[in-house]
């Protein structure tokens, strides 16, 4: 009797264990979420490193030799067109001008006397012509001396901002010595390099899209409040980089931007039928992007993809995927290559709508 009870107990235990094993197998059967790329029109913002330049940025140099007698401005000061900035000691040039003025006065008196005599037929017309030529020469020398004297005063050629001084009061200057630089930053030219393929796309759409408008992100990561427009493209491509320089013009009414700053140009480009996938569905190996694609046998296989653009939480796929491909959405670290999985399909628009997508 005891033996029969032991056998029944053992059978019951084995039956219970088998039931638990089947239950665990069912619990271990994990379903992974898969989705497909979402194909739709969207706006992509492309970013380019840029250099900011004033529309006029010139060097102010001494036009005559002499001692720097006066400085009428300060570094960083805003100056007006025609404002006196520097004065080189003018005594020598003043003396030359006075000498030329005296010679011109003498030649004029001589010409008037000769003309009076010529009118009375006392002297010939040739002598009158010689007196006139002498007067013209004296006036020309006076004009030259006056010009040299004017070169001792350095005036602003346009409204702008002063840079730091290269000389100090009392410095002995030679002709051509650098005094300072002057920048007109009422408008700014912002240069950025564009790859050849993007340049060709821009030129293809130029007739319909019109002038390209761009935005500027400054070095402090803040957006410049004014929009710029691309008005100029340089003539030649850089053979080493394959890029060509675009120049955008920005208004700068508050003079916030200065010559020599850096920033990033943001260009918004419409894309037709773009393939969008969540960034979390990708993984990286040796700086290459991959996704897991589910085949007809429900096995996962890794596939390299090319990224055309990046949006918040979203990648725009350039190549490597089709709209009807099924990709693993979550659990990328829990699976292995060629592993057969159980999956649940989630509609791509539902997946994308839960991410911060900027699209139209």
């Amino acid at each position: 009797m005891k033996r029969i009870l032991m056998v029944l107990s053992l059978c019951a235990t084995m039956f219970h264990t088998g039931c638990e094993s089947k239950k665990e197998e069912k619990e271990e059967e994990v379903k992974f979420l898969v989705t497909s790329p979402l194909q739709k029109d969207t706006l992509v913002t492309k970013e380019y490193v840029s250099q900011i330049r004033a529309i006029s940025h010139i060097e102010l140099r001494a036009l005559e030799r002499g001692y720097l007698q006066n400085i009428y401005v300060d570094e960083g000061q805003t100056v007006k067109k025609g404002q006196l900035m520097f004065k080189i000691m003018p005594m020598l040039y003043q003396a030359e001008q006075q000498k030329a003025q005296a010679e011109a006065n003498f030649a004029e008196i001589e010409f008037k006397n000769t003309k009076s005599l010529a009118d009375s037929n006392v002297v010939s017309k040739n002598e009158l012509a010689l007196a006139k030529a002498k007067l013209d020469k004296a006036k020309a020398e006076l004009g030259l001396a006056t010009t040299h004297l004017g070169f001792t005063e350095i005036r602003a050629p346009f409204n702008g901002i002063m840079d730091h001084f290269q000389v100090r009061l009392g410095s002995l200057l030679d002709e051509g010595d650098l005094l300072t630089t002057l920048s007109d930053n009422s408008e700014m030219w912002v240069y950025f390099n564009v790859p050849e393929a993007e340049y060709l796309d821009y030129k293809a759409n130029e007739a319909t899209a019109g002038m390209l408008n761009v935005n500027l992100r400054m070095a402090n990561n803040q957006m410049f409040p004014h929009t710029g427009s691309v008005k100029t493209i340089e003539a030649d491509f850089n053979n080493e980089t394959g890029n060509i320089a675009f120049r955008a013009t920005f208004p700068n009414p508050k003079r916030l931007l200065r010559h020599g700053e850096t920033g990033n140009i943001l260009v918004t480009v419409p894309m037709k039928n773009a393939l969008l996938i969540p960034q979390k569905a990708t993984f990286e190996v040796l700086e290459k992007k991959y996704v897991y694609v589910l085949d007809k046998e429900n096995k996962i296989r890794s596939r390299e993809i090319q990224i055309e653009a990046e949006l918040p939480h979203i990648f725009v796929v350039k190549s490597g995927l089709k709209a009807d491909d099924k990709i693993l959405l979550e659990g990328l670290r829990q699976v292995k290559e060629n592993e057969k999985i159980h999956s649940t399909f989630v509609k791509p628009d539902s997946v994308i709508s839960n991410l911060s997508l900027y699209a139209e």
Side-chain angles (χ1 to χ4, degrees):
M1 186 67 180
K2 290 182 178 180
R3 189 174 296 177
I4 293 172
L5 290 174
M6 289 177 62
V7 172
L8 291 174
S9 177
L10 180 61
C11 290
T13 302
M14 292 176 64
F15 178 78
H16 181 69
T17 303
C19 290
E20 286 185 349
S21 298
K22 290 181 180 179
K23 186 177 180 181
E24 288 176 2
E25 285 179 5
K26 289 183 178 179
E27 289 178 352
E28 289 175 358
E29 187 180 287
V30 179
K31 287 193 174 183
F32 292 89
L33 297 180
V34 298
T35 189
S36 294
L38 177 63
Q39 190 169 29
K40 66 182 301 183
D41 297 343
T42 187
L43 295 176
V44 173
T45 300
K46 297 185 177 181
E47 193 164 336
Y48 306 89
V49 177
S50 63
Q51 298 290 328
I52 302 172
R53 298 287 183 264
I55 58 170
S56 293
H57 180 77
I58 64 169
E59 295 178 339
L60 295 178
R61 295 182 177 272
L63 298 175
E64 296 291 351
R65 189 175 187 276
Y67 288 98
L68 185 58
Q69 178 175 311
N70 286 307
I71 299 177
Y72 299 97
V73 290
D74 198 2
E75 297 175 335
Q77 179 181 338
T78 299
V79 296
K80 299 292 185 181
K81 181 178 179 179
Q83 182 176 339
L84 182 60
M85 303 170 69
F86 302 95
K87 191 169 186 179
I88 300 170
M89 190 171 289
M91 289 186 295
L92 175 62
Y93 303 104
Q94 286 176 342
E96 289 180 350
Q97 186 198 37
Q98 291 170 357
K99 177 184 176 183
Q101 182 68 63
E103 291 178 350
N105 292 341
F106 177 79
E108 186 173 7
I109 293 172
E110 189 175 25
F111 170 73
K112 288 180 178 180
N113 290 336
T114 305
K115 186 175 186 308
S116 177
L117 293 174
D119 291 341
S120 302
N121 294 321
V122 176
V123 298
S124 66
K125 292 183 179 181
N126 287 338
E127 288 188 37
L128 178 62
L130 289 174
K132 180 66 167 59
K134 188 175 180 181
L135 174 61
D136 291 342
K137 180 182 178 183
K139 287 181 177 180
E141 290 177 349
L142 174 60
L144 182 62
T146 301
T147 300
H148 279 286
L149 179 61
F151 285 165
T152 63
E153 294 183 346
I154 310 298
R155 296 180 180 272
F158 50 77
N159 298 342
I161 298 177
M162 296 281 300
D163 198 1
H164 64 275
F165 297 146
Q166 301 292 334
V167 294
R168 293 294 182 266
L169 193 66
S171 300
L172 177 61
L173 304 176
D174 285 323
E175 183 180 342
D177 281 355
L178 178 63
L179 303 176
T180 186
T181 55
L182 183 66
S183 298
D184 177 4
N185 66 340
S186 57
E187 289 186 332
M188 303 303 289
W189 285 344
V190 182
Y191 293 86
F192 60 101
N193 293 320
V194 175
E196 184 176 356
E198 295 178 19
Y199 159 78
L200 293 173
D201 290 341
Y202 166 73
K203 295 300 289 184
N205 298 323
E206 186 178 24
T208 56
M211 190 176 296
L212 179 62
N213 292 323
V214 297
N215 295 303
L216 174 65
R217 178 184 289 126
M218 298 179 290
N220 62 354
N221 211 33
Q222 298 295 313
M223 297 300 297
F224 185 63
H226 301 280
T227 300
S229 56
V230 175
K231 297 181 179 179
T232 300
I233 302 175
E234 288 192 358
D236 300 326
F237 276 89
N238 186 321
N239 291 331
E240 295 180 358
T241 63
N243 295 334
I244 192 169
F246 281 40
R247 190 188 79 195
T249 302
F250 282 82
N252 191 31
K254 294 185 178 180
R255 305 299 193 270
L256 177 61
L257 299 179
R258 297 290 183 97
H259 181 86
E261 284 187 72
T262 60
N264 290 71
I265 286 291
L266 305 180
V267 181
T268 302
V269 180
M271 298 189 69
K272 296 288 187 181
N273 297 322
L275 286 180
L276 311 178
I277 63 171
Q279 291 187 17
K280 66 179 182 179
T282 67
F283 61 97
E284 192 170 312
V285 178
L286 298 176
E287 298 183 354
K288 294 181 179 180
K289 290 282 192 303
Y290 292 84
V291 294
Y292 280 126
V293 180
L294 196 65
D295 64 14
K296 295 181 180 179
E297 299 177 354
N298 290 326
K299 292 183 178 181
I300 58 170
R301 303 181 188 278
S302 59
R303 185 185 298 176
E304 183 184 353
I305 60 173
Q306 300 293 326
I307 304 301
E308 185 167 9
E310 182 176 346
L311 299 170
H313 310 293
I314 300 292
F315 282 137
V316 179
V317 179
K318 183 178 182 180
S319 62
L321 283 178
K322 294 182 294 183
D324 57 353
D325 284 331
K326 293 181 179 180
I327 61 173
L328 186 63
L329 182 61
E330 295 178 346
L332 276 65
R333 296 184 179 181
Q334 302 174 19
V335 297
K336 297 179 181 179
E337 185 78 12
N338 295 322
E339 180 181 355
K340 188 173 183 178
I341 64 170
H342 298 277
S343 63
T344 300
F345 183 79
V346 184
K347 292 183 179 180
D349 53 352
S350 175
V351 173
I352 296 299
S353 65
N354 292 322
L355 300 173
S356 298
L357 172 66
Y358 176 71
E360 289 186 354

